[in-house]
Amino acid sequence: MTNQAFEFLEYAADAVVVGAGHAGCEAALALARTGINTALLTLNLDSIAFLPCNPSIGGTAKGHLVREIDALGGQMGIVADDTALQIRMLNVGKGAAVQSLRAQSDKNAYHAEMKRVLENTKNLRIIQAEASEILVKDGKCTGVKTTYGGVITCKAVILCTGVYLNGETITGQVVTKSGPNGFAPANHLTQSLIDIGFQVRRFKTGTPARLDGRTIDYSKCEVQHGDTDIYPFSFMHDHAPENKMPCYLTYTNLDTHAVILENLDRSPLYNGTIESAGPRYCPSIETKVVRFKDKERHQIFLEPEGADTLEVYVQGMSTSMPHDIQRKMYASVAGLENADIMRYAYAIEYDCIDTLDVLPTLEFKKVEGVYTAGQINGTSGYEEAAAQGLMAGINASLKLRGLPPFTLRRDEAYIGVLIDDLVTKGTDEPYRMMTSRAEHRICLRQDNADFRLTEKGKEFGLVTEERYLRYLARKEKYEELLRSLQTRVPQKDATPFLERYGYSAPSGSVSYADMLKRSIPLKDIMAEYGVFGEYAKDVLETAEISVKYEGYLKQGVELIEKAKRLENKLLPDDIDYHSIAGLRLEAREKLDRIRPFNLGQAGRISGVNPADISVLMVYLATRE
Ligand SMILES: Cc1cc2nc3c(=O)[nH]c(=O)nc-3n(C[C@H](O)[C@H](O)[C@H](O)COP(=O)(O)OP(=O)(O)OC[C@H]3O[C@@H](n4cnc5c(N)ncnc54)[C@H](O)[C@@H]3O)c2cc1C
């Protein structure tokens, strides 16, 4: 159907970003803000930064990604703060490494604000059109063609097509060619990706129904308000967003489970209509009921979709059951007995690529100048997508400016863990970031993201002067506080305070840091001795953690130094793995396919075991 015959020059750009979802927005801003003449394509301007699933940004490990995106000069954290309905700190009962911010977002406001930011960005041209072909000459990207015959010439293209490539929504027996929420799918680009060498596979994800809030009986649910005494996502903001709307907690019950189990044959997931891989860690309610048969109830969060709408998102109850069954399922839940469904739940299948063909810069190995980011890389989540979009945008910009690439190691950022997992291990199901994936998580906390990353963002020109000065000021305050904490309190003044916390009298003077190591909260020490200046919430938190977990952090740094030794053992890119005696066949094939940059990365490839690494070390020693 595309206008192959008729071609015209739509625009001459340096870079094109295909897709204005969470990946595309960050990629386009990173390019345009570093002076690259950029064109941003989307199927529909009304889907810019659209939140097709949960109306929230952040959550466990995802909050870390948002803070890291912000520290590098990205946009998601700022928009999440500015359009939050409420914000909470998750896992406060657990260690500092897993505490994560999560904001309930106003969907329409999030879209409108990101669109406003994009529209007011220099060097950025936004076009509503469907990309149908990647133009390649001599192994290099030369442009993008649209279904209307328009050609946008460029030297770099970043593919951020999300869940739209050959998108199909599934509810019961009804399968419809569609993107999320009825937006049009992209039905022409996949063939072009296959033609230029990508391996394409199909993934699936699902979303719950949206209910009319007026018809929910909240008196049967537990209200959940936002937190007040916490810090915002963005280091550019001094205060956490105001909490405007609550969420509510309710539960499924045995009746809900019975409706599902009695109708499992009508579930596309269980009758073979859906065969593609879905997100293990965001399972549908059918899967939860089948997988956890012993559980009598599952948590359901009722989340407002926005201040200007009555729609309520039913977190924890995504499904692709037929509409009549959905009505029974939702009506069986306490508080939802008379709830009206405004949008029915559905599953969506879409094409995505195999990231073992992509470099750590997210550039495609087979065609220079082609990058991929977001759901197209097999991940699931706004935050994961935004992080990849930012990195792909930064690297395309650096390459176009003739500057060296920028990658993050696993010990530097969750973003480093995310991308290394994708390009080294690959994924056979939608990949969701989790703290357990980050072996160095004690050092990769959300509170210190700027200390880890803002200097780097400054180097490649994405961190503004204002952001850099704020970072320097925060660092100075933090170091000032650390110095103050070393101040020693005379024995006579420390004793009564320590005894109040059940400690015996000290043998001499005690520093405030020693008190912290005795797990006495910093705010209590500050209240007691009142000798400290004014400090922002996140400066206090970072200082308290740095002192309290000093031992663990030291161990963490030792682990990082140990890992670095293997990361620094580079693997020349001309190695013929098939000729190295002693390497097992599986290892030879995997090493040849992925072509790792160093021994550390080689060791993380599934199918390459420690014995293979020893063989490689001996081989490298003979080459020196
Ligand atoms: C039904 C559903 C359920 C989900 N459930 C979850 C969940 O439970 N947990 C979770 O973490 N995440 C979930 N997500 C995923 C989340 O929405 C995505 O991870 C996130 O939106 C991906 O961002 P992205 O930028 O990669 O792509 P998207 O946000 O999908 O944006 C893609 C963009 O590309 C554009 N586009 C695509 N093809 C073309 C083309 N050929 N030409 C021009 N423009 C094009 C589109 O117009 C759109 O602007 C769900 C998504 C959907 C749709």
Side-chain angles (χ1 to χ4, degrees):
M1 201 263 294
T2 57
N3 255 333
Q4 295 306 340
F6 180 72
E7 273 187 19
F8 68 96
L9 177 63
E10 170 91 54
Y11 185 65
D14 296 323
V16 174
V17 176
V18 178
H22 306 281
C25 292
E26 297 296 340
L29 290 171
L31 283 158
R33 287 171 172 171
T34 51
I36 303 295
N37 168 15
T38 304
L40 173 61
L41 295 189
T42 177
L43 297 165
N44 191 323
L45 294 186
D46 303 328
S47 72
I48 287 178
F50 177 55
L51 304 171
C53 191
N54 46 329
S56 72
I57 298 288
T60 305
K62 290 169 179 273
H64 295 66
L65 288 173
V66 180
R67 294 272 280 181
E68 292 181 358
I69 291 165
D70 186 75
L72 284 167
Q75 192 67 26
M76 179 175 254
I78 295 173
V79 178
D81 283 342
D82 292 346
T83 59
L85 296 171
Q86 74 158 230
I87 190 163
R88 302 181 69 225
M89 186 68 81
L90 306 185
N91 306 323
V92 283
K94 300 180 180 165
V98 295
Q99 292 179 11
S100 276
L101 282 170
R102 183 181 189 274
Q104 215 52 54
S105 303
D106 184 318
K107 270 190 178 181
N108 297 334
Y110 193 97
H111 153 72
E113 176 56 15
M114 190 63 93
K115 186 168 182 278
R116 185 193 65 75
V117 171
L118 290 168
E119 288 174 351
N120 292 285
T121 298
K122 254 178 72 221
N123 305 317
L124 187 53
R125 172 115 161 60
I126 308 171
I127 309 169
Q128 177 164 315
E130 177 180 348
S132 57
E133 191 181 343
I134 306 302
L135 306 175
V136 175
K137 191 161 183 297
D138 307 328
K140 290 188 176 165
C141 167
T142 60
V144 173
K145 192 170 169 185
T146 72
T147 49
Y148 302 91
V151 170
I152 302 156
T153 55
C154 62
K155 300 184 203 68
V157 58
I158 305 188
L159 302 168
C160 308
T161 52
V163 294
Y164 290 77
L165 289 187
N166 288 327
E168 282 180 330
T169 57
I170 304 113
T171 308
Q173 295 319 105
V174 182
V175 179
T176 314
K177 288 193 176 310
S178 173
N181 270 50
F183 283 116
N187 293 332
H188 302 94
L189 189 60
T190 298
Q191 189 52 51
S192 174
L193 301 186
I194 294 169
D195 295 346
I196 64 173
F198 276 107
Q199 300 207 26
V200 172
R201 59 269 183 85
R202 216 139 160 81
F203 277 5
K204 163 260 173 198
T205 188
T207 195
R210 288 8 176 224
L211 307 176
D212 179 335
R214 294 169 301 182
T215 62
I216 295 173
D217 180 356
Y218 290 114
S219 69
K220 294 183 179 167
C221 311
E222 296 156 35
V223 68
Q224 202 177 55
H225 293 291
D227 295 334
T228 46
D229 189 22
I230 57 173
Y231 48 78
F233 272 118
S234 180
F235 292 96
M236 296 302 282
H237 297 153
D238 295 324
H239 304 290
E242 184 205 333
N243 292 308
K244 303 184 187 94
M245 297 175 81
C247 295
Y248 293 85
L249 173 60
T250 181
Y251 299 86
T252 64
N253 50 53
L254 295 178
D255 295 341
T256 319
H257 303 173
V259 170
I260 292 170
L261 293 172
E262 285 157 15
N263 293 286
L264 220 44
D265 61 325
R266 298 184 60 198
S267 158
L269 275 177
Y270 288 88
N271 63 20
T273 307
I274 294 176
E275 284 168 342
S276 51
R280 178 189 302 273
Y281 300 104
C282 283
S284 67
I285 186 65
E286 297 98 296
T287 305
K288 283 193 267 188
V289 170
V290 170
R291 201 184 286 169
F292 310 108
K293 280 206 175 51
D294 56 337
K295 280 195 84 173
E296 296 197 351
R297 65 181 191 166
H298 294 277
Q299 280 189 331
I300 301 294
F301 290 95
L302 303 174
E303 302 179 354
E305 292 247 312
D308 62 352
T309 173
L310 295 169
E311 290 186 66
V312 172
Y313 175 91
V314 190
Q315 157 79 245
M317 233 174 142
S318 80
T319 180
S320 50
M321 277 286 198
H323 287 194
D324 58 317
I325 302 301
Q326 287 193 32
R327 294 166 67 86
K328 291 187 186 143
M329 285 162 54
Y330 289 108
S332 70
V333 173
L336 309 186
E337 295 83 352
N338 305 309
D340 289 341
I341 296 180
M342 294 175 77
R343 297 179 204 257
Y344 280 91
Y346 64 93
I348 187 164
E349 282 189 330
Y350 53 93
D351 295 341
C352 56
I353 61 110
D354 185 341
T355 46
L356 294 183
D357 294 328
V358 168
L359 295 166
T361 57
L362 297 181
E363 187 175 13
F364 185 35
K365 290 175 181 172
K366 299 178 185 162
V367 180
E368 208 177 319
V370 174
Y371 297 76
T372 55
Q375 198 102 359
I376 190 176
N377 280 346
T379 58
S380 184
Y382 315 132
E383 306 78 4
E384 289 84 347
Q388 293 164 63
L390 180 69
M391 294 299 282
I394 291 169
N395 275 294
S397 168
L398 288 168
K399 188 157 187 173
L400 289 168
R401 292 183 284 157
L403 297 170
F406 171 66
T407 56
L408 288 164
R409 293 190 315 267
R410 301 179 69 89
D411 61 87
E412 293 175 311
Y414 271 84
I415 296 176
V417 173
L418 168 63
I419 294 177
D420 181 65
D421 281 351
L422 292 175
V423 303
T424 303
K425 301 174 185 170
T427 182
D428 295 329
E429 59 189 45
Y431 174 108
R432 186 194 185 293
M433 182 45 79
M434 298 181 291
T435 51
S436 56
R437 294 188 192 277
E439 61 274 25
H440 303 297
R441 57 185 167 277
I442 185 70
C443 304
L444 304 182
R445 303 181 319 274
Q446 60 175 7
D447 63 276
N448 68 2
D450 60 337
F451 293 167
R452 293 183 278 118
L453 300 171
T454 297
E455 290 281 2
K456 297 176 188 296
K458 181 81 173 133
E459 276 161 35
F460 49 71
L462 200 50
V463 163
T464 60
E465 196 52 29
E466 184 198 355
R467 178 181 288 279
Y468 193 61
L469 293 175
R470 287 180 68 93
Y471 152 73
L472 291 177
R474 200 176 97 82
K475 199 153 184 278
E476 199 182 311
K477 289 296 278 180
Y478 164 70
E479 284 156 2
E480 176 194 286
L481 179 54
L482 279 188
R483 284 192 298 276
S484 314
L485 289 171
Q486 298 312 321
T487 311
R488 305 196 69 78
V489 180
Q491 184 185 22
K492 65 177 176 49
D493 301 330
T495 302
F497 182 62
L498 290 174
E499 286 176 345
R500 229 181 299 149
Y501 287 88
Y503 291 103
S504 53
S507 55
S509 68
V510 181
S511 74
Y512 299 123
D514 295 334
M515 295 176 180
L516 272 178
K517 288 185 179 135
R518 286 181 172 88
S519 296
I520 298 175
L522 178 55
K523 66 179 172 34
D524 296 3
I525 297 169
M526 294 174 83
E528 177 73 12
Y529 295 100
V531 292
F532 297 90
E534 281 298 309
Y535 292 96
K537 172 78 187 150
D538 54 0
V539 170
L540 290 168
E541 181 167 313
T542 308
E544 182 160 9
I545 294 167
S546 305
V547 173
K548 211 167 147 190
Y549 292 100
E550 194 178 4
Y552 291 113
L553 291 169
K554 267 212 186 85
Q555 285 168 5
V557 171
E558 282 156 19
L559 265 181
I560 289 173
E561 289 313 315
K562 195 158 161 266
K564 265 195 206 159
R565 284 197 281 279
L566 282 180
E567 299 292 317
N568 295 337
K569 271 247 174 271
L570 304 183
L571 288 163
D573 52 16
D574 63 353
I575 293 183
D576 176 6
Y577 289 105
H578 292 289
S579 69
I580 300 178
L583 267 188
R584 291 169 317 105
L585 182 59
E586 183 189 9
R588 291 177 191 201
E589 286 166 359
K590 291 276 179 71
L591 289 165
D592 186 48
R593 165 98 197 270
I594 297 165
R595 306 214 63 86
F597 287 80
N598 55 57
L599 274 181
Q601 189 187 9
R604 291 191 292 276
I605 297 172
S606 62
V608 176
N609 64 29
D612 298 313
I613 297 298
S614 316
V615 169
L616 270 181
M617 286 171 113
V618 173
Y619 170 79
L620 286 176
T622 56
R623 269 183 70 127
E624 274 154 15

